[in-house]
């Protein structure tokens, strides 16, 4: 299927591994020009090498910490302005969860989770808006979580902040629609990215069991009985960012193997 990405200008914040890198691979294969951004130059260079080997095309890279450095999203978009003068697609893949009980969490923990899961997208979208307004069929996709629609116990901060992110998406869709800018969220379920691989490896070490035992345990409550591969989430991110989804905005679509039990 032709997703209509040929020549389109895309930035993926959080593109050095995981779902962001998998999205970059699809966009590059489909002919888009891509900048991937993250905190670590080493990670970005490694991703560029992998992506070039996998797709035959290399992304540009840009070092930006959109959580710790409030100005870095603006610096990234200044680079986009110089290079392309407009932006068609923005993907925000920064975020993650902490497994912890409510009574162990401090104000600092809550603020850090808010910055990681909500403010990261706020900053990226805010800095990109003038460039998106000048873009061709502009679209934003951010990464929510299945937990935004079906909260899990023991990860309260993600439940709260990913639900807040959906409020952000819906409100921005209302405010940006008249400029022709679409914004949507994809809600992954459990996905085999470094986020989960690191968590499962730590749990396996604590319990003295093989890491695959941890993955099997957490797959039990997923109707499809397995974790997603990053590409299975990225195809929805790419499709929502594409002109094929031209009448979809303000939505959050779960790609979760059926784990979220609610009707909406
Ligand atoms: N994996 C899952 O099971 C799952 C489930 C539900 C929701 N999600 C959501 O999906 C999104 C992507 O998850 P993932 O599993 O792909 O995560 P991941 O494997 O941890 O990858 C995160 C990406 O973001 C970058 N990053 C982290 N902090 C950053 C910062 N402050 N500034 C810029 N870049 C930063 C990382 O690169 P550097 O280290 O190089 O900075 C990396 O490229 C997140 O929003 C997550 O909450 C994932």
């Amino acid at each position: 299927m032709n997703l209509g990405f040929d020549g389109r200008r895309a930035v993926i914040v959080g593109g050095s591994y995981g779902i962001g890198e998998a999205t970059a691979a699809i966009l590059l294969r489909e002919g888009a020009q891509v900048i991937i951004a993250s905190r670590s130059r080493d990670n970005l260079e490694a991703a560029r090498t992998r992506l070039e080997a996998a797709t035959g095309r290399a992304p540009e890279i840009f070092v930006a910490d959109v959580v710790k450095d409030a100005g870095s999203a603006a610096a990234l978009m200044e680079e986009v302005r110089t290079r392309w003068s407009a932006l068609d697609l923005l993907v925000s893949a920064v975020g993650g969860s902490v497994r912890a009980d409510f009574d162990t969490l401090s104000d600092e923990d809550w603020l850090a989770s808010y910055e990681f899961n909500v403010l990261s997208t706020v900053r990226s979208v805010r800095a990109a808006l003038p460039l998106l307004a000048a873009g061709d069929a502009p679209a934003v996709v951010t990464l929510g979580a299945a937990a935004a629609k079906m909260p899990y116990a023991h990860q309260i901060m993600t439940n709260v902040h990913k639900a807040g992110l959906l409020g952000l998406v819906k409100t921005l869709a209302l405010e940006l629609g008249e400029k022709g800018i679409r914004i949507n969220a994809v809600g992954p379920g459990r996905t085999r990215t470094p986020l989960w691989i690191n968590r499962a490896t730590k749990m396996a070490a604590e319990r003295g069991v093989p890491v695959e035992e941890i993955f099997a345990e957490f797959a039990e409550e997923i109707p499809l009985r397995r974790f997603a591969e990053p590409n299975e989430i990225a195809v929805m991110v790419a499709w929502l960012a594409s002109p094929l989804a031209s009448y979809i905005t303000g939505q959050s679509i779960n790609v979760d193997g059926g784990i979220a039990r609610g009707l909406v």
Side-chain angles (χ1 to χ4, degrees):
M1 184 183 287
N2 181 349
L3 289 174
F5 283 129
D6 207 19
R8 293 168 71 77
R9 300 155 291 191
V11 168
I12 301 176
V13 184
S16 65
Y17 49 84
I19 294 165
E21 181 187 1
T23 304
I26 295 174
L27 296 188
L28 287 165
R29 276 198 193 96
E30 294 281 327
Q33 307 174 71
V34 178
I35 298 175
I36 55 172
S38 84
R39 296 166 298 183
S40 154
R41 179 167 298 281
D42 286 352
N43 290 346
L44 287 166
E45 285 175 352
R48 179 169 59 190
T49 303
R50 286 192 299 272
L51 285 164
E52 189 167 15
T55 71
R57 298 185 56 236
E60 301 296 334
I61 63 174
F62 193 91
V63 178
D65 185 335
V66 295
V67 176
K68 294 273 183 295
D69 175 3
S72 71
L76 167 61
M77 293 307 156
E78 197 44 49
E79 169 73 14
V80 173
R81 185 190 307 283
T82 307
R83 192 179 286 274
W84 296 329
S85 75
L87 181 65
D88 306 318
L89 312 172
L90 171 67
V91 175
S92 173
V94 176
S97 57
V98 175
R99 287 182 69 79
D101 290 330
F102 174 69
D103 58 3
T104 67
L105 295 168
S106 65
D107 285 0
E108 288 70 30
D109 295 326
W110 278 93
L111 288 168
S113 169
Y114 167 74
E115 288 180 320
F116 195 27
N117 286 296
V118 181
L119 205 54
S120 56
T121 292
V122 169
R123 286 177 172 154
S124 297
V125 173
R126 187 171 52 208
L129 268 186
L131 293 162
L132 288 166
D136 174 26
V140 178
V141 181
T142 189
L143 272 300
K149 296 186 182 179
M150 185 200 71
Y152 301 106
H154 313 299
Q155 58 164 58
I156 191 167
M157 294 189 300
T158 325
N159 298 338
V160 170
H161 292 139
K162 291 294 194 183
L165 189 67
L166 301 196
L168 177 80
V169 164
K170 188 58 104 177
T171 312
L172 283 177
L174 298 174
E175 296 185 5
L176 301 180
E178 66 183 2
K179 294 183 178 147
I181 302 171
R182 297 184 301 108
I183 177 162
N184 293 289
V186 172
R190 293 171 179 159
T191 308
R192 262 186 202 259
T193 65
L195 185 158
W196 248 107
I197 292 166
N198 294 339
R199 176 183 295 161
T201 303
K202 189 162 165 255
M203 284 181 181
E206 281 164 7
R207 293 197 211 160
V209 298
V211 68
E212 284 309 317
E213 204 170 303
I214 304 293
F215 278 115
E217 179 186 321
F218 279 89
E220 269 170 26
E221 62 180 317
I222 304 170
L224 290 181
R225 298 291 189 275
R226 64 174 179 84
F227 276 55
E229 295 300 326
N231 182 60
E232 293 179 290
I233 313 299
V235 289
M236 178 58 79
V237 176
W239 184 77
L240 277 174
S242 81
L244 295 180
S246 55
Y247 205 56
I248 299 179
T249 193
Q251 305 304 308
S252 166
I253 301 181
N254 276 9
V255 182
D256 65 0
I259 197 168
R261 264 49 172 183
L263 290 177
V264 291

